[in-house]
Amino acid sequence: MRRMLFSRLLIVLVVGVAALGLIPPDAQDTSVFGKYRGFLLPRGDGQTTVVASANAAESKADPAAEPQKKDDGKPQFIFDERKLGEDSAPLKLKLFSSMTCVHCAHFATQSLPALQKKYVKTGKMQIIFFDFPLEERAMVASMISKCLPDDRYFAFMSALYAAQMKWMMSHNLQEALEPYARMAGLPKDKMIACATNAEALNKMMAKRQEYISKYQVNATPMLILETSERIRTISGAPSDEKEFENVLDAMIAEASMREKLSENASPAVTGAP
């Protein structure tokens, strides 16, 4: 099942893009990256320099490659999962989402702000964000986001989720994403460089496969609630916010109680005789 899901994305990247006819005649690359790259760069865009440099990098692509040095002029990527909240929080919420998932957008715009206020800012919960793009447009947006530091990453993601239908349904994805990238400090050329980097695409695909293997992700959104005592997986956005908060409260209370019991059971440290 997991192999089928991963292969399915590869097929979407190759067949779906070709069907849309967005690949310039002089860039008919038979590789997966060539097909994907054509999805962002529409016919007549003229970004031949970016395409050529990205294509050259493809031959050296390594999923485990380290980010490029800052002085080489290439995009700087952050592939680590982004976090909100303290590592010491008793409850961890692992959130798997895709930028073009409608239910993910609803959760991000309607539920997350309240959760941040009630649980994250009070130190009760940490939210860890896992990008799990389900199709080409989501992959493009995710790759652009990986070029952003935390202080701009969350604003960029919030803006895209809030205006999801506007950019997602656009006939010109590059043009639709430019205002949001520019708001986050990425001019057009840097945005394209981030979205068409072969090594980054390979890394994203590798991370996606890792999530499938490790967490059995097969849809978005998927939430994993985790304490030192318990793990609970929720497929899909919670339909009842009050009930969801009751689950969070119960898990936090249980984890806090266990921590107190553990502290009380610890033997007192005495000085040497």
Side-chain angles (χ1 to χ4, degrees), residues 1-18 31-33 35-36 98 100 131-140 142-143 200-212:
M1 176 67 183
R2 292 194 293 256
R3 290 184 178 178
M4 182 182 300
L5 187 61
F6 184 63
S7 300
R8 189 174 168 188
L9 178 65
L10 293 178
I11 294 172
V12 169
L13 289 172
V14 176
V15 178
V17 174
S31 67
V32 170
F33 178 71
K35 302 290 187 182
Y36 161 80
S98 175
T100 52
D131 276 327
F132 194 80
L134 295 176
E135 48 80 57
E136 302 98 323
R137 289 173 181 258
M139 180 66 82
V140 170
S142 290
M143 286 181 65
L201 176 61
N202 274 0
K203 182 67 175 180
M204 289 288 291
M205 298 290 277
K207 293 283 283 186
R208 189 179 185 283
Q209 182 60 32
E210 176 189 334
Y211 300 155
I212 293 173

Side-chain angles (χ1 to χ4, degrees), residues 27-168:
Q28 293 294 335
D29 189 335
T30 58
S31 67
V32 170
F33 178 71
K35 302 290 187 182
Y36 161 80
R37 185 185 60 210
F39 190 82
L40 179 68
L41 302 179
R43 188 183 306 274
D45 181 78
Q47 296 293 334
T48 54
T49 302
V50 174
V51 170
S53 62
N55 195 43
E58 183 184 11
S59 61
K60 301 177 182 179
D62 178 6
E66 293 296 323
Q68 298 292 335
K69 295 180 180 179
K70 291 186 178 181
D71 60 356
D72 62 8
K74 295 183 180 179
Q76 308 301 309
F77 293 94
I78 301 175
F79 293 107
D80 293 338
E81 289 76 30
R82 309 300 179 104
K83 301 176 181 180
L84 284 177
E86 301 296 327
D87 290 339
S88 59
L91 176 62
K92 304 291 191 297
L93 166 56
K94 297 178 178 179
L95 176 60
F96 298 82
S97 57
S98 175
M99 290 304 299
T100 52
C101 159
V102 176
H103 295 294
C104 298
H106 183 271
F107 185 76
T109 58
Q110 303 300 315
S111 301
L112 271 184
L115 293 177
Q116 287 180 240
K117 182 178 180 180
K118 184 175 181 179
Y119 297 100
V120 176
K121 292 183 178 181
T122 56
K124 297 177 181 179
M125 182 171 71
Q126 181 187 62
I127 303 177
I128 308 172
F129 298 84
F130 294 76
D131 276 327
F132 194 80
L134 295 176
E135 48 80 57
E136 302 98 323
R137 289 173 181 258
M139 180 66 82
V140 170
S142 290
M143 286 181 65
I144 295 172
S145 76
K146 297 304 180 187
C147 280
L148 299 172
D150 285 352
D151 60 341
R152 288 182 280 166
Y153 169 85
F154 290 109
F156 176 75
M157 298 294 275
S158 295
L160 286 192
Y161 275 130
Q164 185 188 66
M165 297 306 294
K166 182 177 180 180
W167 65 267
M168 182 176 72

